[in-house]
Amino acid sequence: MPGTLFHPVWVALVTVLVTTFWARRYYRAGKKLPTYLRIRSIPRDCSEPELFSALSALGSSGGPSNVLVQSLHPSPTDQSTQVATVQFLALPPVLASLSEKSCQASISVNLFGKSSFKAVFDGSLMGLTPLSCPAKADVDIIAVPGLGGHAIKSWRRPDREQVWLRDFLAQDVPEARILTYGYDTLVVKSQSKASIADLAKSFLEALKNCRISAEEQRRPIIFLAHSLGGLVVKEALAQASVTGKNEDMESQKIFKSCYGLMFFGVPNKGLNNASLVSMAKGHPNETLIRDLQVDSGHETSSFLRSLHHRFDSAFHFDSRIIAFYENRHTRTLKETPLGSSRFEPLGPWQLIVTQDSATSISRSQKPSDSIAMERDHKDLVKFGDSHEDDYSTVKRNLVEIIRLAPLVVSSRFAEENAHRMLPLNRPSSQNPPGIQNGEEDQFTTVHSTENQGRWSDRKIETAKREALDERHIRVLQTLGNSPVSSIPISIASTGGGQSEIDYPVTTLPTFRNFSFVGRDDVLKDMHNLLLPPNSSPPSGPSCCVLHGLGGQGKSQTALEYAFRYRDAYDATFWLQAETDQELARSYALIAKKLGLSPGGSGNGTAEDGLDPSKGIENARKWLESTTGRKWLLIFDNLEETDDLLTYLPTKPECKGSVIITTQKAHMMSVTDNFRKIPLQPLTSDDGAKLLFKSMDREPLNEQENSYALQISEWVGGLPLAIATIGGYMKLSSSSANRILARLQRSSKVWASSGEGAVSHYKKTLATVFDLALSELKPNTRHLIDIMAFLNPDHIPEEMLVLKQDSPGLQFLNDEDEFLEMTHDLGLRQLVKWSTTSTGAYLSIHRSLQRNVLHSLHGDPDAGKRQRIFEESFSLVRNVVPKPSRRLDSEPDLWPRFSKYVPQVISLRDHSTWPDPPLSLGLHVAKMLSEVGTFLWHTGQFHDCDLALTTAEKIVMAQDIDIQVLPESKDLLSDIYNFTGILCDIVGVSKRADSLRIRLACLDLRKEAYKAIPPSEVTVDDEIRLENAWSDVGCAYMQLGKYDEAGVIFDKMLEYFKRWGSKSKYPFEYAKYYHHCAFVRMAQGKPIEAIEYSKEGVDLQMEHEGEINTMVLINQYDLASLLFNAGEVTKSLELHEEVLEARIRLCGDGSQFTLESYESAATLHYFLGNYSKAEYVSPLTSLPTEPLIRSGRSYLRTCLDWHYRAHWTREGIARAQFRLSLVLEKLGNTQGAKEELKAARAVRDEFLKLYPQYLVPDPADESAVFDQMLPMWVSQFTGKLQKGGRRVVLPL
């Protein structure tokens, strides 16, 4: 009965749910890989539960949990049947011979309560398979996999069950019919000799078969294609475009219906995978594989060149073409030792399809539609879930394509219909040469196709422009600008001879850039110069010259001025001044706008009836003779001053203003009231604002804004670079931290075009400086190539003019030529020269520097980049001092280190950018290690870590016979000496590494010491060995093993006494007393601990000769030990003295300073000074002026600065915990909860990761936070606090 519980429909539904649950558990357990099959010829009235029940009854031993029905949709070729995709965990016996690679099988399937049907099973899924079929589809999305691909598995991540085309995309774009196409592209042992042309022809036939009705034939098509699949699509469209006979009009309709192409890693210019050739060698598909490859000279095959030409010539519709390209290398296949044509991913890592190859699709493609993915070639189309960034990018672009596709495609067919109704009056005798009378229809069809494309494009473009005009008018109204009637649009009539002019009039080429930020002071200065307030008018026009680097925002600043002050002018004219031809055309357009030239369409060319020379003459006369009107001329991107002579009005009675933008700083005065304004880079804050305006959104949080500040600084505040990166981020949906990491690794974004406000700019970041660089003399270009590897802000001139022995640097020895080179670079604004108290410096803009490095990376001379680097290194090596073998602090060398260390850091950074990094030798590692010594002593931990990490990588990358050399081991021990110390300042996450590295350093030092004959051992040799022992003792203290450390330190003292007195070796003795102070405190001897600590401070001061970072380390530790000994007030007083000094010496952004902020704040908390005024800040006030500094303000300051200081997570978490306590005391309960939650999240994570080091104290939550930090960063709990016992010390 229908109402019974055991009705077949209920049974089927329950079975579906049970099967889904158990099948997924079974699959995820990894016990057996499923088999994906397609089933065709299913009756239309068969439901999914009925099909499931029928398949479950086929007799599989796997039971009802053996099969999943994943889709069931009408057949695209036979509307009376359906097609299903299913997944079997184990094939039923009746299908045991079937696999995903075998042929199809017809099996009789019984439906409950219905007759049986003959189902066709196959695993290859050749042809088109529907994955989504709405009742009324607006578009067809057709997915074509790549070489060796599969119609289903190619679109699924291997560790996930979902196929994103079917399981994500179908829900996100329900208006689309989605089909996937399978075809035979087996690589190994292939028996198919089909070429790409053959594959495309079969594909085209399959498309015709699934687009039968009139509605289907005109339905827009969007192709999604991976790798080879994109070439098949291009070839199919190229074939369809040249088919002109009536009997194959279906092909033309497919061609006209195509609006969107989404290509993923398509090798338009070939791919790099030599293993494919060996896999196919001797097989019928060898020709196809060779057509895909680039040859040894990276040349594209003749077939791909031909395909590109045919497709590019045919596909010039208004369309959307998006190219996704890979950024990761792919492990290539290699034949296994077992042979038998078995290939495994054991070959070299390669970038299979380069960015250039993947993005060279068609001239119809916009550069901005080239999008990078951080994936390798095979994973470009394998998305695991709908929340992945890459899938979101694909979906967003697809939604936009689907929105526009119906309008564009319908207009193509509408124009075709209209053209067909036009009478053809040409007699047969007037056919074009070579066209016979019988071929007239063919000529007419082809001719009409070409024309209707242009008519359709014009219609769509007109509609777009009208919509854009309306949008901008609405924006202006919303923002409260001038009424629409006063918006400066083309008001003047274009008719000839008009005497009345409808003001205001303008030839501004674009809308206002609402992404413009900053420059307020510049704009005010410009306005005061051009229209001086409360003063007599100048004689002749006023002129302002904006000069600066390309991409600095000169044109945008001039444009912003024109809009911001448009009410002050009756006429505003924009002149393209880069070439004389552009300038003449722009100037003639003024006459056209003013109605001073007869006829024409307003384009300012002889072809449209306007005589440029006559127009220029008339326009200049009007500008010079019009006294009752104020006008503004903007000469944009002027190259030569001589070009102005014909165009610049100069009569005294002129009431006009002139703005000139140029890259030339040496422009002479051209009017009486003349001023040059050098346009500076944007500040970091303005750059961050521009970045987010380019993305049409606000920063998500303070951390994202911090990354944006870093991006702005990284490109030197260049507006073009920032806006380009912002547009790139918007299109790719990339986060700020992800794009910053990519910028620091790759130069690919340098070739990206701008979006939004800079989309009209003709140059990319890679070409914006090309003109200026191309005009340089060889030696001058050589000099700027060298400077690209150096610090862009301060390149000491003395480093360049010292006598150079290297052959490649001989040109720098000629003083006169050097002056000429720097003068030439200065005139072109490529280099700036300045002086300070420490000497003369050259500087180069960061974006120009990146441009030069980018060009060196792509130079045809493959060795040029390496040679230039070595020359730059030679310059720096000559001036960087070398520390002593003892690696102690040497204050006398600090001034020279301070001057030249930035050059070493830049060498390191620029040797690794762009990817791949240069090959560096031991000489580079040696200098990096030496510089690491200075960076550690001055508290520049982040740069120190980068320098030492690079140095270690260089050493370990050498051949083994180089690594075992004594000098290599000696160098490695020096590197370990300071990397171990760096581990100490991090905290618990590096605690194990600290001891491991210290022991490795000790082993190397022991080995080196034993190799020295006893009679040749020096004090320096012994100091190097004892320093390694001392560092092991420090690692023991970090583990809480103070007694073991004390034994090592006391043993060291015996050596010190044998070497000499404290006055002879103050630095070594200072280390001893400093370290032992902590041991004595942990041993319960606070008085002795404080005495030792004070002795360490005095000896360090004696060695250094002045207060510096090393002295402040000792003073900070003394302040911390004073707290442990119970002297809280004295501790706070000393902590604040150290904080003041650290702010002065290191700045707020130093980890040293942040630790002082946090320690002082904690003591304020203990003393109850939550908001008491008791601190003087040297940064913001004079010493006599009080500034309120509470515990809260200290903590807020250090947390606000931690992004720039690269502070550790351990330090941040403890500061957040302390801040939560302060906020609770101040009554901010919600703020306290938020800070406590963040702190506890880090604490809980570390408790799981490092249980051997962290022991919670139920009575004091702060104990774990102290344990997370190094023992010499103010321990308020633990052994040091217990050892102090709060003994009151004698004064």
Side-chain angles (χ1 to χ4, degrees), residues 24-191:
R24 292 189 176 186
R25 288 194 60 181
Y26 190 83
Y27 171 69
R28 287 171 182 164
K31 293 181 179 179
K32 186 179 179 72
L33 291 177
T35 301
Y36 295 92
L37 299 180
R38 176 178 59 186
I39 308 176
R40 289 173 290 169
S41 299
I42 303 170
R44 279 298 297 266
D45 61 349
C46 177
S47 67
E48 187 171 323
E50 290 174 330
L51 178 64
F52 171 79
S53 298
L55 295 177
S56 299
L58 285 179
S60 168
S61 60
S65 63
N66 183 53
V67 64
L68 286 174
V69 177
Q70 296 176 314
S71 67
L72 179 64
H73 297 293
S75 168
T77 57
D78 180 3
Q79 292 298 305
S80 65
T81 63
Q82 297 183 94
V83 177
T85 58
V86 300
Q87 172 184 309
F88 283 98
L89 294 178
L91 286 174
V94 69
L95 297 174
S97 61
L98 195 66
S99 73
E100 293 174 357
K101 298 180 180 179
S102 70
C103 298
Q104 63 188 30
S106 295
I107 306 294
S108 181
V109 176
N110 293 310
L111 294 176
F112 292 113
K114 298 181 180 181
S115 60
S116 62
F117 67 95
K118 204 75 168 178
V120 180
F121 292 77
D122 75 274
S124 61
L125 276 74
M126 295 297 176
L128 288 164
T129 302
L131 300 180
S132 177
C133 288
K136 181 172 175 53
D138 293 337
V139 297
D140 278 347
I141 296 177
I142 300 172
V144 186
L147 188 66
H150 185 270
I152 291 290
K153 294 195 295 182
S154 289
W155 312 98
R156 179 185 69 84
R157 210 168 82 178
D159 61 338
R160 300 290 176 91
E161 300 173 34
Q162 295 89 348
V163 177
W164 65 272
L165 291 173
R166 179 189 64 209
D167 301 318
F168 308 152
L169 191 63
Q171 283 71 45
D172 291 331
V173 289
E175 64 272 47
R177 179 172 69 160
I178 303 175
L179 305 104
T180 182
Y181 181 71
Y183 58 112
D184 183 10
T185 56
L186 188 68
V187 179
V188 181
K189 296 182 178 179
S190 172
Q191 298 305 311

Side-chain angles (χ1 to χ4, degrees), residues 531-744:
L531 293 176
N534 303 323
S535 63
S536 58
S539 176
S542 301
C543 182
C544 170
V545 177
L546 294 175
H547 63 91
L549 281 172
Q552 193 75 279
K554 303 179 294 296
S555 299
Q556 290 299 316
T557 303
L559 184 66
E560 175 64 16
Y561 176 86
F563 277 101
R564 187 173 297 190
Y565 296 104
R566 60 178 175 269
D567 291 340
Y569 297 97
D570 299 296
T572 303
F573 303 117
W574 187 278
L575 305 170
Q576 300 290 352
E578 189 165 1
T579 67
D580 190 57
Q581 291 77 16
E582 287 181 314
L583 188 50
R585 178 188 176 280
S586 300
Y587 214 92
L589 188 57
I590 296 176
K592 190 68 176 176
K593 284 291 184 182
L594 295 173
L596 302 176
S597 297
S601 63
N603 293 329
T605 61
E607 286 81 354
D608 62 21
L610 178 62
D611 182 358
S613 60
K614 188 65 176 177
I616 293 169
E617 180 183 349
N618 290 343
R620 178 167 175 166
K621 284 181 179 179
W622 184 90
L623 293 168
E624 290 184 333
S625 62
T626 300
T627 57
R629 296 287 182 178
K630 294 179 181 178
W631 49 260
L632 172 64
L633 279 181
I634 302 173
F635 292 87
D636 185 44
N637 205 15
L638 185 71
E639 285 293 323
E640 298 295 338
T641 308
D642 292 344
D643 292 341
L644 283 175
L645 298 178
T646 307
Y647 307 100
L648 187 66
T650 57
K651 287 189 176 181
E653 57 269 24
C654 286
K655 299 297 184 183
S657 302
V658 177
I659 297 174
I660 298 171
T661 71
T662 182
Q663 294 188 32
K664 306 298 176 63
H666 62 285
M667 179 173 288
M668 64 180 182
S669 176
V670 293
T671 65
D672 290 340
N673 187 32
F674 178 87
R675 182 179 168 191
K676 293 190 290 186
I677 298 178
L679 209 57
Q680 301 300 324
L682 292 177
T683 65
S684 297
D685 288 335
D686 283 341
K689 291 176 184 176
L690 176 59
L691 187 72
F692 288 110
K693 278 199 171 188
S694 301
M695 293 187 284
D696 296 325
R697 67 175 179 85
E698 296 294 323
L700 300 176
N701 49 45
E702 181 59 33
Q703 185 171 15
E704 187 182 38
N705 192 64
S706 172
Y707 287 124
L709 291 169
Q710 294 179 61
I711 290 173
S712 177
E713 293 171 358
W714 196 86
V715 298
L718 191 74
L720 173 63
I722 296 169
T724 300
I725 292 168
Y728 183 88
M729 290 172 65
K730 180 180 178 181
L731 287 172
S732 61
S733 301
S734 296
S735 60
N737 61 327
R738 181 179 177 186
I739 208 69
L740 177 63
R742 187 176 176 209
L743 284 169
Q744 293 169 341

Side-chain angles (χ1 to χ4, degrees), residues 355 366-368 370 550-552 663 718-725 747-755 758-771 773 847-848 850-852 854:
Q355 177 185 352
K366 297 178 182 178
S368 58
S370 298
Q552 193 75 279
Q663 294 188 32
L718 191 74
L720 173 63
I722 296 169
T724 300
I725 292 168
S747 66
K748 290 182 179 179
V749 74
W750 233 244
S752 300
S753 296
E755 280 296 310
V758 296
S759 59
H760 68 281
Y761 199 71
K762 298 178 181 178
K763 300 173 181 176
T764 66
L765 289 172
T767 61
V768 69
F769 304 110
D770 282 357
L771 177 62
L773 292 174
S847 287
L848 170 59
R850 299 290 174 184
N851 178 279
V852 174
H854 175 80

Side-chain angles (χ1 to χ4, degrees), residues 840-872:
Y841 290 85
L842 298 175
S843 62
I844 177 175
H845 194 280
R846 291 176 182 269
S847 287
L848 170 59
Q849 181 183 50
R850 299 290 174 184
N851 178 279
V852 174
L853 291 172
H854 175 80
S855 65
L856 288 172
H857 172 257
D859 196 284
D861 181 355
K864 184 177 181 179
R865 180 185 173 204
Q866 185 77 42
R867 290 197 307 273
I868 298 295
F869 171 83
E870 294 295 344
E871 292 170 355
S872 305

